[in-house]
């Protein structure tokens, strides 16, 4: 292991980071070693990663000092923050700054920051098409990440900014799978009209990140976007119908209706989908499927993702 380049993976126990850890471990001759960072080294997920061959190291994004220690000796660092744990964009920016400063102090050679757009660049707070949230954001879980892009350049660390996409896995883990409507039919509900939603199997985010580390200098200083396929709500429903052998319809709602669903974060997600709908050409164009497949030839299409994971989608 000592002659291998270490990649320290923030969120190593999470959906994005664990995909990267597994990609590194699988490529035994690749010259890289995986160091998974977690606050809970004794959790089942952390133990499973250690058993699979990862080094598991304690670190907390709220503590720059813990990150410095965890990044020591690493060649690369993957950074993701988890908005949904605290719903605070400001906290995500502060956590990203801790990671950027720690990466600088540890003389890391390549950072990948898992980011999203600052939607306020296209929808300023004065634009009333969607409400302003938390006083100064339109899509807090996007805007904080986009705002944090600059903390990596400010810190002077060699960075690739990785624009990720909606995970199809949200149908399994995030309550976004088909639900029975009043007519008893299974439906997926989105406020994206007939526009395309760039999306990806979350395991492919980690595989793409690994390819970016392997290709080294090529992507340092660049912002790149990834997706596995770009489909409309109707196409997503049709794919489910075929895979599940049960009819699933597309329930198109307005962003206003979506924001009003009342679950935590419904307003943020309603604004997010409206942004994706209203700036669809830009948003899809920033996440070329062809480019993503050139990074990761194993990239799953939607149908391939369904074939692999359809049995995990909870159905009523
Ligand atoms: N769902 C989507 O479609 C989608 C698409 C694009 C981007 N995203 C973004 O992805 C992010 C979540 O990533 P994910 O899905 O990989 O997360 P996840 O599966 O929910 O796991 C969260 C990870 O973050 C780690 N973590 C959280 N707070 C931490 C802290 N203070 N210090 C150290 N580690 C911490 C957790 O580690 P431990 O608990 O083990 O410490 C865990 O590994 C969100 O910010 C979301 O906006 C989501």
């Amino acid at each position: 292991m000592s002659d291998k380049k270490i990649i320290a993976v923030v969120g190593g126990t999470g959906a994005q980071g664990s995909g990267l850890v597994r990609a590194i471990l699988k490529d035994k001759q690749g010259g890289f070693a995986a160091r998974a960072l977690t606050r809970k080294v004794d959790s089942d997920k952390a133990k499973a990663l250690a058993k699979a061959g990862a080094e598991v190291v304690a670190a907390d994004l709220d503590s720059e000092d813990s990150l410095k220690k965890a990044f020591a000796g690493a060649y690369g660092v993957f950074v993701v923050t988890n908005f949904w744990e605290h719903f605070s964009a400001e906290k995500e920016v502060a956590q990203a700054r801790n990671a950027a400063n720690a990466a600088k102090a540890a003389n890391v050679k390549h950072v990948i920051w898992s980011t999203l757009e600052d939607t306020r660049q296209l929808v300023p707070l004065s634009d009333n098409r969607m409400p302003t949230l938390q006083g100064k954001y339109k899509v807090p879980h996007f805007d904080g990440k986009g705002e944090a892009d600059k903390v990596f350049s400010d810190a002077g660390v060699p960075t690739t900014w990785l624009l990720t996409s909606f995970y199809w896995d949200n149908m399994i883990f995030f309550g976004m799978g088909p639900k029975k409507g009043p007519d008893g039919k299974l439906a997926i509900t989105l406020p994206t009209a007939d526009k395309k939603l760039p999306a990806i199997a979350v395991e492919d985010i980690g595989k793409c990140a690994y390819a970016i580390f392997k290709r080294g200098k090529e992507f340092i200083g660049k912002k790149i976007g990834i997706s596995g396929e770009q489909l409309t709500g109707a196409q997503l429903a049709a794919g489910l119908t075929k895979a599940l052998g049960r009819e699933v319809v597309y329930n198109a709602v307005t962003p206003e209706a979506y924001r009003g669903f009342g679950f935590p974060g419904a307003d943020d997600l309603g604004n997010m989908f409206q942004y994706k709908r209203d700036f669809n050409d830009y948003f899809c164009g920033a996440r070329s499927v062809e480019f993503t497949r050139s990074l990761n030839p194993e990239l799953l299409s939607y149908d391939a993702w369904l074939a692999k994971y359809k049995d995990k989608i909870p159905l009523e």
Side-chain angles (χ1 to χ4, degrees), residues 7-8 10 16 20 76-80 108 110-115 152 158-164 205-206 208-214 219 224:
I7 306 290
V10 176
Q16 293 191 29
L20 172 57
V77 166
F78 176 83
V79 185
V80 63
V108 165
H110 192 174
V111 171
I112 297 178
W113 163 233
S114 174
T115 191
F152 293 92
T159 302
T160 304
W161 290 266
L162 179 63
L163 286 169
T164 60
I205 296 179
C208 289
Y210 182 46
I212 292 165
F213 280 125
K214 284 187 89 173
F219 294 116
I224 57 182

PDB file of all heavy atoms in Angstrom, residues 7-8 10 16 20 76-80 108 110-115 152 158-164 205-206 208-214 219 224:
ATOM      1  N   ILE A   7      -6.106   8.148  -1.895  1.00  0.00           N
ATOM      2  CA  ILE A   7      -7.229   9.072  -2.112  1.00  0.00           C
ATOM      3  C   ILE A   7      -8.057   9.094  -0.820  1.00  0.00           C
ATOM      4  O   ILE A   7      -8.610   8.066  -0.420  1.00  0.00           O
ATOM      5  CB  ILE A   7      -8.149   8.611  -3.267  1.00  0.00           C
ATOM      6  CG1 ILE A   7      -7.379   8.366  -4.564  1.00  0.00           C
ATOM      7  CG2 ILE A   7      -9.284   9.620  -3.461  1.00  0.00           C
ATOM      8  CD1 ILE A   7      -6.828   9.583  -5.242  1.00  0.00           C
ATOM      9  N   ALA A   8      -8.104  10.249  -0.170  1.00  0.00           N
ATOM     10  CA  ALA A   8      -8.933  10.415   1.033  1.00  0.00           C
ATOM     11  C   ALA A   8     -10.338  10.803   0.582  1.00  0.00           C
ATOM     12  O   ALA A   8     -10.511  11.773  -0.159  1.00  0.00           O
ATOM     13  CB  ALA A   8      -8.346  11.490   1.935  1.00  0.00           C
ATOM     14  N   VAL A  10     -13.896  12.001   1.604  1.00  0.00           N
ATOM     15  CA  VAL A  10     -14.894  12.528   2.535  1.00  0.00           C
ATOM     16  C   VAL A  10     -16.238  11.918   2.128  1.00  0.00           C
ATOM     17  O   VAL A  10     -16.533  11.771   0.936  1.00  0.00           O
ATOM     18  CB  VAL A  10     -14.959  14.069   2.456  1.00  0.00           C
ATOM     19  CG1 VAL A  10     -16.072  14.600   3.355  1.00  0.00           C
ATOM     20  CG2 VAL A  10     -13.618  14.691   2.831  1.00  0.00           C
ATOM     21  N   GLN A  16     -22.190   8.742  -2.698  1.00  0.00           N
ATOM     22  CA  GLN A  16     -21.185   9.131  -3.693  1.00  0.00           C
ATOM     23  C   GLN A  16     -19.815   8.569  -3.327  1.00  0.00           C
ATOM     24  O   GLN A  16     -19.131   7.944  -4.145  1.00  0.00           O
ATOM     25  CB  GLN A  16     -21.084  10.663  -3.769  1.00  0.00           C
ATOM     26  CG  GLN A  16     -22.324  11.331  -4.311  1.00  0.00           C
ATOM     27  CD  GLN A  16     -22.099  12.812  -4.615  1.00  0.00           C
ATOM     28  OE1 GLN A  16     -20.995  13.253  -4.930  1.00  0.00           O
ATOM     29  NE2 GLN A  16     -23.164  13.589  -4.542  1.00  0.00           N
ATOM     30  N   LEU A  20     -16.777   5.700  -4.965  1.00  0.00           N
ATOM     31  CA  LEU A  20     -15.367   5.978  -5.265  1.00  0.00           C
ATOM     32  C   LEU A  20     -14.474   4.978  -4.535  1.00  0.00           C
ATOM     33  O   LEU A  20     -13.544   4.415  -5.124  1.00  0.00           O
ATOM     34  CB  LEU A  20     -15.035   7.423  -4.868  1.00  0.00           C
ATOM     35  CG  LEU A  20     -13.561   7.812  -4.930  1.00  0.00           C
ATOM     36  CD1 LEU A  20     -12.964   7.597  -6.321  1.00  0.00           C
ATOM     37  CD2 LEU A  20     -13.387   9.282  -4.508  1.00  0.00           C
ATOM     38  N   GLY A  76      -4.743  12.549  -3.238  1.00  0.00           N
ATOM     39  CA  GLY A  76      -5.994  13.154  -3.688  1.00  0.00           C
ATOM     40  C   GLY A  76      -7.036  13.171  -2.582  1.00  0.00           C
ATOM     41  O   GLY A  76      -6.967  12.387  -1.625  1.00  0.00           O
ATOM     42  N   VAL A  77      -7.997  14.091  -2.742  1.00  0.00           N
ATOM     43  CA  VAL A  77      -9.099  14.189  -1.782  1.00  0.00           C
ATOM     44  C   VAL A  77     -10.402  14.387  -2.555  1.00  0.00           C
ATOM     45  O   VAL A  77     -10.462  15.233  -3.454  1.00  0.00           O
ATOM     46  CB  VAL A  77      -8.875  15.376  -0.810  1.00  0.00           C
ATOM     47  CG1 VAL A  77     -10.150  15.696  -0.055  1.00  0.00           C
ATOM     48  CG2 VAL A  77      -7.758  15.094   0.163  1.00  0.00           C
ATOM     49  N   PHE A  78     -11.403  13.608  -2.217  1.00  0.00           N
ATOM     50  CA  PHE A  78     -12.753  13.803  -2.766  1.00  0.00           C
ATOM     51  C   PHE A  78     -13.594  14.441  -1.664  1.00  0.00           C
ATOM     52  O   PHE A  78     -13.623  13.937  -0.535  1.00  0.00           O
ATOM     53  CB  PHE A  78     -13.352  12.446  -3.170  1.00  0.00           C
ATOM     54  CG  PHE A  78     -14.782  12.528  -3.665  1.00  0.00           C
ATOM     55  CD1 PHE A  78     -15.060  12.873  -4.985  1.00  0.00           C
ATOM     56  CD2 PHE A  78     -15.850  12.248  -2.818  1.00  0.00           C
ATOM     57  CE1 PHE A  78     -16.375  12.946  -5.449  1.00  0.00           C
ATOM     58  CE2 PHE A  78     -17.163  12.325  -3.264  1.00  0.00           C
ATOM     59  CZ  PHE A  78     -17.417  12.673  -4.594  1.00  0.00           C
ATOM     60  N   VAL A  79     -14.262  15.538  -1.992  1.00  0.00           N
ATOM     61  CA  VAL A  79     -15.053  16.243  -0.968  1.00  0.00           C
ATOM     62  C   VAL A  79     -16.510  16.332  -1.387  1.00  0.00           C
ATOM     63  O   VAL A  79     -16.831  16.839  -2.465  1.00  0.00           O
ATOM     64  CB  VAL A  79     -14.527  17.685  -0.737  1.00  0.00           C
ATOM     65  CG1 VAL A  79     -15.288  18.334   0.426  1.00  0.00           C
ATOM     66  CG2 VAL A  79     -13.034  17.698  -0.460  1.00  0.00           C
ATOM     67  N   VAL A  80     -17.378  15.837  -0.522  1.00  0.00           N
ATOM     68  CA  VAL A  80     -18.815  16.039  -0.687  1.00  0.00           C
ATOM     69  C   VAL A  80     -19.364  16.453   0.677  1.00  0.00           C
ATOM     70  O   VAL A  80     -18.867  15.991   1.709  1.00  0.00           O
ATOM     71  CB  VAL A  80     -19.524  14.770  -1.231  1.00  0.00           C
ATOM     72  CG1 VAL A  80     -19.412  13.593  -0.263  1.00  0.00           C
ATOM     73  CG2 VAL A  80     -21.004  15.030  -1.548  1.00  0.00           C
ATOM     74  N   VAL A 108      -2.098  18.466  -0.712  1.00  0.00           N
ATOM     75  CA  VAL A 108      -2.781  17.484  -1.572  1.00  0.00           C
ATOM     76  C   VAL A 108      -2.609  17.899  -3.035  1.00  0.00           C
ATOM     77  O   VAL A 108      -2.660  19.078  -3.372  1.00  0.00           O
ATOM     78  CB  VAL A 108      -4.275  17.421  -1.158  1.00  0.00           C
ATOM     79  CG1 VAL A 108      -5.105  16.718  -2.200  1.00  0.00           C
ATOM     80  CG2 VAL A 108      -4.402  16.732   0.197  1.00  0.00           C
ATOM     81  N   HIS A 110      -4.498  16.801  -5.742  1.00  0.00           N
ATOM     82  CA  HIS A 110      -5.700  16.854  -6.579  1.00  0.00           C
ATOM     83  C   HIS A 110      -6.951  16.717  -5.695  1.00  0.00           C
ATOM     84  O   HIS A 110      -7.118  15.702  -5.013  1.00  0.00           O
ATOM     85  CB  HIS A 110      -5.663  15.711  -7.614  1.00  0.00           C
ATOM     86  CG  HIS A 110      -6.695  15.825  -8.704  1.00  0.00           C
ATOM     87  ND1 HIS A 110      -6.736  14.956  -9.774  1.00  0.00           N
ATOM     88  CD2 HIS A 110      -7.722  16.701  -8.908  1.00  0.00           C
ATOM     89  CE1 HIS A 110      -7.728  15.289 -10.587  1.00  0.00           C
ATOM     90  NE2 HIS A 110      -8.347  16.337 -10.068  1.00  0.00           N
ATOM     91  N   VAL A 111      -7.778  17.729  -5.716  1.00  0.00           N
ATOM     92  CA  VAL A 111      -9.054  17.701  -4.985  1.00  0.00           C
ATOM     93  C   VAL A 111     -10.191  17.602  -6.004  1.00  0.00           C
ATOM     94  O   VAL A 111     -10.168  18.296  -7.024  1.00  0.00           O
ATOM     95  CB  VAL A 111      -9.237  18.986  -4.141  1.00  0.00           C
ATOM     96  CG1 VAL A 111     -10.643  19.051  -3.552  1.00  0.00           C
ATOM     97  CG2 VAL A 111      -8.202  19.057  -3.036  1.00  0.00           C
ATOM     98  N   ILE A 112     -11.158  16.751  -5.738  1.00  0.00           N
ATOM     99  CA  ILE A 112     -12.416  16.797  -6.503  1.00  0.00           C
ATOM    100  C   ILE A 112     -13.499  17.292  -5.555  1.00  0.00           C
ATOM    101  O   ILE A 112     -13.715  16.697  -4.484  1.00  0.00           O
ATOM    102  CB  ILE A 112     -12.809  15.417  -7.072  1.00  0.00           C
ATOM    103  CG1 ILE A 112     -11.755  14.921  -8.067  1.00  0.00           C
ATOM    104  CG2 ILE A 112     -14.173  15.507  -7.760  1.00  0.00           C
ATOM    105  CD1 ILE A 112     -12.052  13.534  -8.646  1.00  0.00           C
ATOM    106  N   TRP A 113     -14.122  18.400  -5.937  1.00  0.00           N
ATOM    107  CA  TRP A 113     -15.214  18.968  -5.139  1.00  0.00           C
ATOM    108  C   TRP A 113     -16.526  18.611  -5.830  1.00  0.00           C
ATOM    109  O   TRP A 113     -16.763  18.985  -6.976  1.00  0.00           O
ATOM    110  CB  TRP A 113     -15.016  20.478  -5.012  1.00  0.00           C
ATOM    111  CG  TRP A 113     -16.208  21.299  -4.577  1.00  0.00           C
ATOM    112  CD1 TRP A 113     -16.720  22.392  -5.215  1.00  0.00           C
ATOM    113  CD2 TRP A 113     -17.012  21.140  -3.388  1.00  0.00           C
ATOM    114  NE1 TRP A 113     -17.786  22.920  -4.523  1.00  0.00           N
ATOM    115  CE2 TRP A 113     -17.990  22.161  -3.397  1.00  0.00           C
ATOM    116  CE3 TRP A 113     -17.006  20.224  -2.327  1.00  0.00           C
ATOM    117  CZ2 TRP A 113     -18.953  22.289  -2.394  1.00  0.00           C
ATOM    118  CZ3 TRP A 113     -17.975  20.351  -1.329  1.00  0.00           C
ATOM    119  CH2 TRP A 113     -18.922  21.372  -1.368  1.00  0.00           C
ATOM    120  N   SER A 114     -17.358  17.860  -5.154  1.00  0.00           N
ATOM    121  CA  SER A 114     -18.648  17.446  -5.692  1.00  0.00           C
ATOM    122  C   SER A 114     -19.624  18.606  -5.546  1.00  0.00           C
ATOM    123  O   SER A 114     -20.069  18.914  -4.440  1.00  0.00           O
ATOM    124  CB  SER A 114     -19.137  16.216  -4.916  1.00  0.00           C
ATOM    125  OG  SER A 114     -20.445  15.888  -5.325  1.00  0.00           O
ATOM    126  N   THR A 115     -19.927  19.239  -6.666  1.00  0.00           N
ATOM    127  CA  THR A 115     -20.647  20.507  -6.586  1.00  0.00           C
ATOM    128  C   THR A 115     -21.913  20.516  -7.429  1.00  0.00           C
ATOM    129  O   THR A 115     -22.252  19.517  -8.093  1.00  0.00           O
ATOM    130  CB  THR A 115     -19.698  21.666  -6.988  1.00  0.00           C
ATOM    131  OG1 THR A 115     -20.304  22.917  -6.685  1.00  0.00           O
ATOM    132  CG2 THR A 115     -19.320  21.619  -8.469  1.00  0.00           C
ATOM    133  N   PHE A 152     -12.155  26.644  -2.991  1.00  0.00           N
ATOM    134  CA  PHE A 152     -11.041  25.771  -3.413  1.00  0.00           C
ATOM    135  C   PHE A 152     -10.019  26.570  -4.227  1.00  0.00           C
ATOM    136  O   PHE A 152      -8.817  26.423  -4.017  1.00  0.00           O
ATOM    137  CB  PHE A 152     -11.575  24.555  -4.183  1.00  0.00           C
ATOM    138  CG  PHE A 152     -12.384  23.650  -3.289  1.00  0.00           C
ATOM    139  CD1 PHE A 152     -13.768  23.813  -3.169  1.00  0.00           C
ATOM    140  CD2 PHE A 152     -11.768  22.671  -2.520  1.00  0.00           C
ATOM    141  CE1 PHE A 152     -14.514  23.013  -2.313  1.00  0.00           C
ATOM    142  CE2 PHE A 152     -12.510  21.870  -1.665  1.00  0.00           C
ATOM    143  CZ  PHE A 152     -13.888  22.041  -1.565  1.00  0.00           C
ATOM    144  N   PRO A 158      -5.106  22.367  -6.170  1.00  0.00           N
ATOM    145  CA  PRO A 158      -5.422  21.899  -7.523  1.00  0.00           C
ATOM    146  C   PRO A 158      -6.747  21.135  -7.505  1.00  0.00           C
ATOM    147  O   PRO A 158      -6.862  20.089  -6.868  1.00  0.00           O
ATOM    148  CB  PRO A 158      -4.258  20.949  -7.864  1.00  0.00           C
ATOM    149  CG  PRO A 158      -3.249  21.115  -6.766  1.00  0.00           C
ATOM    150  CD  PRO A 158      -3.967  21.642  -5.581  1.00  0.00           C
ATOM    151  N   THR A 159      -7.750  21.694  -8.185  1.00  0.00           N
ATOM    152  CA  THR A 159      -9.131  21.200  -8.004  1.00  0.00           C
ATOM    153  C   THR A 159      -9.795  20.853  -9.327  1.00  0.00           C
ATOM    154  O   THR A 159      -9.572  21.517 -10.332  1.00  0.00           O
ATOM    155  CB  THR A 159      -9.973  22.304  -7.297  1.00  0.00           C
ATOM    156  OG1 THR A 159      -9.356  22.626  -6.055  1.00  0.00           O
ATOM    157  CG2 THR A 159     -11.407  21.850  -7.043  1.00  0.00           C
ATOM    158  N   THR A 160     -10.620  19.810  -9.303  1.00  0.00           N
ATOM    159  CA  THR A 160     -11.613  19.579 -10.357  1.00  0.00           C
ATOM    160  C   THR A 160     -12.990  19.789  -9.727  1.00  0.00           C
ATOM    161  O   THR A 160     -13.289  19.196  -8.685  1.00  0.00           O
ATOM    162  CB  THR A 160     -11.533  18.144 -10.906  1.00  0.00           C
ATOM    163  OG1 THR A 160     -10.209  17.891 -11.372  1.00  0.00           O
ATOM    164  CG2 THR A 160     -12.523  17.940 -12.054  1.00  0.00           C
ATOM    165  N   TRP A 161     -13.791  20.637 -10.353  1.00  0.00           N
ATOM    166  CA  TRP A 161     -15.150  20.881  -9.858  1.00  0.00           C
ATOM    167  C   TRP A 161     -16.070  19.926 -10.613  1.00  0.00           C
ATOM    168  O   TRP A 161     -16.200  20.029 -11.850  1.00  0.00           O
ATOM    169  CB  TRP A 161     -15.545  22.344 -10.116  1.00  0.00           C
ATOM    170  CG  TRP A 161     -14.788  23.304  -9.243  1.00  0.00           C
ATOM    171  CD1 TRP A 161     -15.190  23.816  -8.049  1.00  0.00           C
ATOM    172  CD2 TRP A 161     -13.490  23.881  -9.504  1.00  0.00           C
ATOM    173  NE1 TRP A 161     -14.231  24.673  -7.543  1.00  0.00           N
ATOM    174  CE2 TRP A 161     -13.173  24.718  -8.412  1.00  0.00           C
ATOM    175  CE3 TRP A 161     -12.542  23.756 -10.536  1.00  0.00           C
ATOM    176  CZ2 TRP A 161     -11.972  25.436  -8.334  1.00  0.00           C
ATOM    177  CZ3 TRP A 161     -11.351  24.469 -10.451  1.00  0.00           C
ATOM    178  CH2 TRP A 161     -11.074  25.289  -9.367  1.00  0.00           C
ATOM    179  N   LEU A 162     -16.703  19.025  -9.884  1.00  0.00           N
ATOM    180  CA  LEU A 162     -17.497  17.962 -10.522  1.00  0.00           C
ATOM    181  C   LEU A 162     -18.989  18.244 -10.316  1.00  0.00           C
ATOM    182  O   LEU A 162     -19.517  18.098  -9.199  1.00  0.00           O
ATOM    183  CB  LEU A 162     -17.116  16.604  -9.909  1.00  0.00           C
ATOM    184  CG  LEU A 162     -17.873  15.392 -10.462  1.00  0.00           C
ATOM    185  CD1 LEU A 162     -17.589  15.196 -11.954  1.00  0.00           C
ATOM    186  CD2 LEU A 162     -17.493  14.120  -9.692  1.00  0.00           C
ATOM    187  N   LEU A 163     -19.657  18.656 -11.395  1.00  0.00           N
ATOM    188  CA  LEU A 163     -21.107  18.887 -11.339  1.00  0.00           C
ATOM    189  C   LEU A 163     -21.802  17.535 -11.415  1.00  0.00           C
ATOM    190  O   LEU A 163     -21.722  16.844 -12.438  1.00  0.00           O
ATOM    191  CB  LEU A 163     -21.551  19.720 -12.539  1.00  0.00           C
ATOM    192  CG  LEU A 163     -21.221  21.216 -12.551  1.00  0.00           C
ATOM    193  CD1 LEU A 163     -21.505  21.790 -13.937  1.00  0.00           C
ATOM    194  CD2 LEU A 163     -22.022  21.960 -11.493  1.00  0.00           C
ATOM    195  N   THR A 164     -22.492  17.162 -10.371  1.00  0.00           N
ATOM    196  CA  THR A 164     -23.156  15.858 -10.343  1.00  0.00           C
ATOM    197  C   THR A 164     -24.591  15.997 -10.862  1.00  0.00           C
ATOM    198  O   THR A 164     -25.032  17.086 -11.221  1.00  0.00           O
ATOM    199  CB  THR A 164     -23.159  15.276  -8.913  1.00  0.00           C
ATOM    200  OG1 THR A 164     -23.861  16.196  -8.063  1.00  0.00           O
ATOM    201  CG2 THR A 164     -21.740  15.066  -8.417  1.00  0.00           C
ATOM    202  N   ILE A 205     -21.123   8.029 -10.082  1.00  0.00           N
ATOM    203  CA  ILE A 205     -20.434   9.269  -9.681  1.00  0.00           C
ATOM    204  C   ILE A 205     -19.050   8.901  -9.131  1.00  0.00           C
ATOM    205  O   ILE A 205     -18.034   9.498  -9.495  1.00  0.00           O
ATOM    206  CB  ILE A 205     -21.267  10.066  -8.650  1.00  0.00           C
ATOM    207  CG1 ILE A 205     -22.592  10.524  -9.287  1.00  0.00           C
ATOM    208  CG2 ILE A 205     -20.456  11.260  -8.130  1.00  0.00           C
ATOM    209  CD1 ILE A 205     -23.510  11.309  -8.359  1.00  0.00           C
ATOM    210  N   GLY A 206     -19.020   7.886  -8.273  1.00  0.00           N
ATOM    211  CA  GLY A 206     -17.730   7.444  -7.721  1.00  0.00           C
ATOM    212  C   GLY A 206     -16.796   6.920  -8.802  1.00  0.00           C
ATOM    213  O   GLY A 206     -15.591   7.189  -8.785  1.00  0.00           O
ATOM    214  N   CYS A 208     -16.750   7.787 -11.943  1.00  0.00           N
ATOM    215  CA  CYS A 208     -16.257   8.941 -12.719  1.00  0.00           C
ATOM    216  C   CYS A 208     -15.181   9.689 -11.925  1.00  0.00           C
ATOM    217  O   CYS A 208     -14.165  10.106 -12.487  1.00  0.00           O
ATOM    218  CB  CYS A 208     -17.401   9.894 -13.045  1.00  0.00           C
ATOM    219  SG  CYS A 208     -18.551   9.227 -14.274  1.00  0.00           S
ATOM    220  N   ALA A 209     -15.418   9.849 -10.627  1.00  0.00           N
ATOM    221  CA  ALA A 209     -14.420  10.556  -9.805  1.00  0.00           C
ATOM    222  C   ALA A 209     -13.086   9.806  -9.840  1.00  0.00           C
ATOM    223  O   ALA A 209     -12.020  10.416  -9.965  1.00  0.00           O
ATOM    224  CB  ALA A 209     -14.933  10.692  -8.373  1.00  0.00           C
ATOM    225  N   TYR A 210     -13.159   8.493  -9.785  1.00  0.00           N
ATOM    226  CA  TYR A 210     -11.911   7.714  -9.842  1.00  0.00           C
ATOM    227  C   TYR A 210     -11.200   7.934 -11.179  1.00  0.00           C
ATOM    228  O   TYR A 210      -9.978   8.137 -11.236  1.00  0.00           O
ATOM    229  CB  TYR A 210     -12.217   6.232  -9.619  1.00  0.00           C
ATOM    230  CG  TYR A 210     -10.972   5.369  -9.619  1.00  0.00           C
ATOM    231  CD1 TYR A 210      -9.834   5.756  -8.903  1.00  0.00           C
ATOM    232  CD2 TYR A 210     -10.921   4.176 -10.333  1.00  0.00           C
ATOM    233  CE1 TYR A 210      -8.679   4.974  -8.909  1.00  0.00           C
ATOM    234  CE2 TYR A 210      -9.779   3.393 -10.337  1.00  0.00           C
ATOM    235  CZ  TYR A 210      -8.655   3.794  -9.628  1.00  0.00           C
ATOM    236  OH  TYR A 210      -7.511   3.042  -9.637  1.00  0.00           O
ATOM    237  N   ALA A 211     -11.968   7.945 -12.261  1.00  0.00           N
ATOM    238  CA  ALA A 211     -11.359   8.181 -13.583  1.00  0.00           C
ATOM    239  C   ALA A 211     -10.706   9.561 -13.638  1.00  0.00           C
ATOM    240  O   ALA A 211      -9.638   9.730 -14.239  1.00  0.00           O
ATOM    241  CB  ALA A 211     -12.425   8.057 -14.675  1.00  0.00           C
ATOM    242  N   ILE A 212     -11.328  10.531 -12.990  1.00  0.00           N
ATOM    243  CA  ILE A 212     -10.765  11.895 -12.987  1.00  0.00           C
ATOM    244  C   ILE A 212      -9.431  11.910 -12.229  1.00  0.00           C
ATOM    245  O   ILE A 212      -8.458  12.522 -12.674  1.00  0.00           O
ATOM    246  CB  ILE A 212     -11.791  12.880 -12.376  1.00  0.00           C
ATOM    247  CG1 ILE A 212     -12.996  13.026 -13.313  1.00  0.00           C
ATOM    248  CG2 ILE A 212     -11.154  14.237 -12.104  1.00  0.00           C
ATOM    249  CD1 ILE A 212     -14.218  13.665 -12.671  1.00  0.00           C
ATOM    250  N   PHE A 213      -9.380  11.216 -11.092  1.00  0.00           N
ATOM    251  CA  PHE A 213      -8.100  11.124 -10.367  1.00  0.00           C
ATOM    252  C   PHE A 213      -7.048  10.428 -11.233  1.00  0.00           C
ATOM    253  O   PHE A 213      -5.897  10.845 -11.301  1.00  0.00           O
ATOM    254  CB  PHE A 213      -8.266  10.356  -9.048  1.00  0.00           C
ATOM    255  CG  PHE A 213      -8.851  11.177  -7.934  1.00  0.00           C
ATOM    256  CD1 PHE A 213      -9.999  10.756  -7.258  1.00  0.00           C
ATOM    257  CD2 PHE A 213      -8.244  12.364  -7.525  1.00  0.00           C
ATOM    258  CE1 PHE A 213     -10.537  11.500  -6.217  1.00  0.00           C
ATOM    259  CE2 PHE A 213      -8.779  13.122  -6.480  1.00  0.00           C
ATOM    260  CZ  PHE A 213      -9.925  12.687  -5.831  1.00  0.00           C
ATOM    261  N   LYS A 214      -7.460   9.350 -11.901  1.00  0.00           N
ATOM    262  CA  LYS A 214      -6.480   8.594 -12.705  1.00  0.00           C
ATOM    263  C   LYS A 214      -5.951   9.424 -13.867  1.00  0.00           C
ATOM    264  O   LYS A 214      -4.790   9.296 -14.250  1.00  0.00           O
ATOM    265  CB  LYS A 214      -7.112   7.302 -13.247  1.00  0.00           C
ATOM    266  CG  LYS A 214      -7.239   6.223 -12.191  1.00  0.00           C
ATOM    267  CD  LYS A 214      -7.708   4.911 -12.783  1.00  0.00           C
ATOM    268  CE  LYS A 214      -6.543   4.076 -13.245  1.00  0.00           C
ATOM    269  NZ  LYS A 214      -6.988   2.724 -13.676  1.00  0.00           N
ATOM    270  N   PHE A 219      -7.723  17.155 -15.817  1.00  0.00           N
ATOM    271  CA  PHE A 219      -8.956  17.787 -15.339  1.00  0.00           C
ATOM    272  C   PHE A 219      -8.738  18.760 -14.182  1.00  0.00           C
ATOM    273  O   PHE A 219      -9.702  19.280 -13.633  1.00  0.00           O
ATOM    274  CB  PHE A 219      -9.973  16.713 -14.933  1.00  0.00           C
ATOM    275  CG  PHE A 219     -10.453  15.902 -16.114  1.00  0.00           C
ATOM    276  CD1 PHE A 219     -10.191  14.545 -16.192  1.00  0.00           C
ATOM    277  CD2 PHE A 219     -11.129  16.511 -17.162  1.00  0.00           C
ATOM    278  CE1 PHE A 219     -10.615  13.797 -17.284  1.00  0.00           C
ATOM    279  CE2 PHE A 219     -11.562  15.777 -18.259  1.00  0.00           C
ATOM    280  CZ  PHE A 219     -11.296  14.413 -18.322  1.00  0.00           C
ATOM    281  N   ILE A 224     -16.365  20.035 -14.664  1.00  0.00           N
ATOM    282  CA  ILE A 224     -16.955  19.085 -15.602  1.00  0.00           C
ATOM    283  C   ILE A 224     -18.256  18.530 -15.014  1.00  0.00           C
ATOM    284  O   ILE A 224     -18.406  18.411 -13.803  1.00  0.00           O
ATOM    285  CB  ILE A 224     -15.979  17.928 -15.947  1.00  0.00           C
ATOM    286  CG1 ILE A 224     -15.535  17.191 -14.705  1.00  0.00           C
ATOM    287  CG2 ILE A 224     -14.763  18.451 -16.694  1.00  0.00           C
ATOM    288  CD1 ILE A 224     -14.540  16.085 -15.010  1.00  0.00           C
TER     289      ILE A 224
END
